[in-house]
Amino acid sequence: MPAISVVELHKSYGAVKAVDGVSFEVEDREIFGILGPNGAGKTTTLEIIETLREPDSGEITVGGMDVRKDARAIKELIGVQLQTTVFFDNLTVRETVDLFSSFYRNQVGTESLLELVSLEDKAGSMLDELSGGQHKRVSIALALVNDPRIVFLDEPTTGLDPQARRNIWEIVEQLRDRENTVVITTHYIEEAEYLCDRVAIMDHGRIIAMGSPDELIDRHSPESNISFRLEPLLSADLIAAIPGVSDVRSVNGGYEVTTLVPQETLIGIFKAAYDNGSTADDVSMKRATLEDVFLKITGRRIRQ
Ligand SMILES: Nc1ncnc2c1ncn2[C@@H]1O[C@H](COP(=O)(O)OP(=O)(O)O)[C@@H](O)[C@H]1O
Ligand SMILES: [Mg+2]
């Protein structure tokens, strides 16, 4: 039985089709990402699974239970970090976690939660004394107070600086080690690529591609780009004749080429240089990213 099953989910707000026929399954202990631009329908999808919003139609189960019939039981099974959390500014971090724990039968213990999110030394601080990243970490701790099997994180790193994002990624990796199932939304490509076992790319209320990051790239954007410099420079015609090269672009002092067979092309680059009295240098190869996948499918960048 999958941890989560969503079949043909639809949700409109007036004329806006926020979620327009979405289906996917999340396996037990999987880190599942929903990647998409603002307004794609990520939060709506998540909050319906979390039993916080009503679907218009669709079959949605969590741990085998129906979100419409078993909301109470599902709430015991899941932990939810909302996209925006309202805190009580006159409570300390420890008091806030204690308060949220008191809502549940199942309790983990405040100290171990603060340790998990690396906020032991902020336990006595007031909420309004925390940085943005520390706030997010409190909200993740709150999502874990009932020792949930399935954890939902809605854009946990949006607006954070790179170091604070890394800290959140470390927490997600700890959740993986604890064998939690995690559903995370993001509009950061690197985040989805780095953290997620599988990713659903969402746009305009639909899932437009789904799979592991590697699968998605292999399926939709399998080319690699190789850039290099040549001293002295050789003609573009010579470079275009190198095995596997499907596109050649001039860059400062050299070229960038596109290829489906990077190994053959790399050998060909060095061979062409050698045979023609040139030296290839500063060679670098880049595989496609999920950004390229999104661009291929939609013709747009994820962040515009
Ligand atoms: N409560 C609401 N009332 C009206 N429209 C909403 C509401 N929540 C979301 N929407 C609209 O639904 C679409 C999807 O929003 P949302 O699920 O928040 O996307 P995301 O989380 O991917 O940014 C957007 O067009 C948004 O404006
Ligand atoms: Mg959202």
Side-chain angles (χ1 to χ4, degrees):
M1 185 180 69
I4 297 167
S5 166
V6 176
V7 181
E8 275 300 306
L9 170 60
H10 288 264
K11 174 77 176 180
S12 295
Y13 303 103
V16 178
K17 287 184 179 169
V19 182
D20 191 14
V22 155
S23 302
F24 63 90
E25 285 187 352
V26 179
E27 299 303 323
D28 230 4
R29 285 176 291 216
E30 191 170 36
I31 311 284
F32 186 84
I34 304 179
L35 172 69
N38 273 334
K42 304 183 296 296
T43 296
T44 303
T45 302
L46 223 57
E47 293 192 356
I48 288 169
I49 300 170
E50 294 160 355
T51 76
L52 302 175
R53 295 193 206 192
E54 290 265 336
D56 294 340
S57 63
E59 294 301 316
I60 303 101
T61 63
V62 178
M65 297 179 285
D66 187 317
V67 291
R68 275 182 268 225
K69 293 183 208 131
D70 305 312
R72 232 163 200 290
I74 289 174
K75 283 199 176 97
E76 293 282 336
L77 197 68
I78 66 174
V80 173
Q81 184 221 15
L82 298 171
Q83 190 161 10
T84 48
T85 311
V86 182
F87 293 124
F88 304 97
D89 281 342
N90 54 346
L91 294 184
T92 65
V93 171
R94 179 183 283 113
E95 287 164 347
T96 303
V97 178
D98 281 343
L99 174 69
F100 276 72
S101 293
S102 71
F103 301 154
Y104 290 91
R105 275 180 285 161
N106 219 357
Q107 295 179 12
V108 185
T110 300
E111 299 311 318
S112 74
L113 284 175
L114 292 180
E115 193 187 323
L116 177 71
V117 298
S118 305
L119 282 177
E120 304 101 307
D121 56 336
K122 293 284 170 193
S125 301
M126 308 303 259
L127 270 298
D128 60 3
E129 295 165 2
L130 302 182
S131 70
Q134 290 164 342
H135 247 174
K136 294 272 189 199
R137 272 140 68 192
V138 175
S139 68
I140 294 176
L142 299 182
L144 302 175
V145 289
N146 58 331
D147 194 19
R149 217 179 82 207
I150 306 173
V151 181
F152 296 89
L153 305 173
D154 197 359
E155 299 206 16
T157 68
T158 295
L160 301 185
D161 63 62
Q163 181 56 48
R165 281 170 71 195
R166 283 268 160 196
N167 292 338
I168 303 273
W169 293 4
E170 281 165 22
I171 297 172
V172 175
E173 292 187 308
Q174 289 193 61
L175 296 179
R176 183 201 294 280
D177 294 342
R178 289 158 44 125
E179 308 205 322
N180 282 126
T181 303
V182 178
V183 183
I184 179 170
T185 72
T186 183
H187 59 254
Y188 294 119
I189 311 277
E190 325 79 79
E191 184 158 291
E193 270 188 33
Y194 181 79
L195 285 178
C196 299
D197 300 315
R198 281 191 312 135
V199 178
I201 302 182
M202 206 169 169
D203 191 34
H204 297 309
R206 293 169 183 267
I207 291 176
I208 56 174
M210 183 158 53
S212 72
D214 278 345
E215 283 167 6
L216 287 170
I217 291 165
D218 285 347
R219 199 180 314 145
H220 297 282
S221 202
E223 309 87 0
S224 295
N225 287 319
I226 303 172
S227 65
F228 52 95
R229 290 198 303 197
L230 290 168
E231 181 58 48
L233 194 62
L234 300 175
S235 76
D237 286 346
L238 245 165
I239 303 306
I242 290 171
V245 168
S246 59
D247 188 39
V248 182
R249 296 168 298 282
S250 282
V251 297
N252 194 19
Y255 295 97
E256 182 179 71
V257 300
T258 302
T259 176
L260 279 168
V261 284
Q263 174 159 295
E264 285 173 66
T265 300
L266 275 172
I267 294 169
I269 290 167
F270 287 111
K271 186 165 184 312
Y274 188 81
D275 289 350
N276 293 283
S278 176
T279 306
D281 193 8
D282 208 4
V283 180
S284 73
M285 185 167 94
K286 254 194 355 243
R287 244 186 124 212
T289 66
L290 289 181
E291 177 86 51
D292 299 307
V293 172
F294 190 84
L295 184 64
K296 253 301 178 29
I297 301 176
T298 67
R300 289 178 289 122
R301 302 211 153 267
I302 249 179
R303 274 171 289 170
Q304 280 171 317

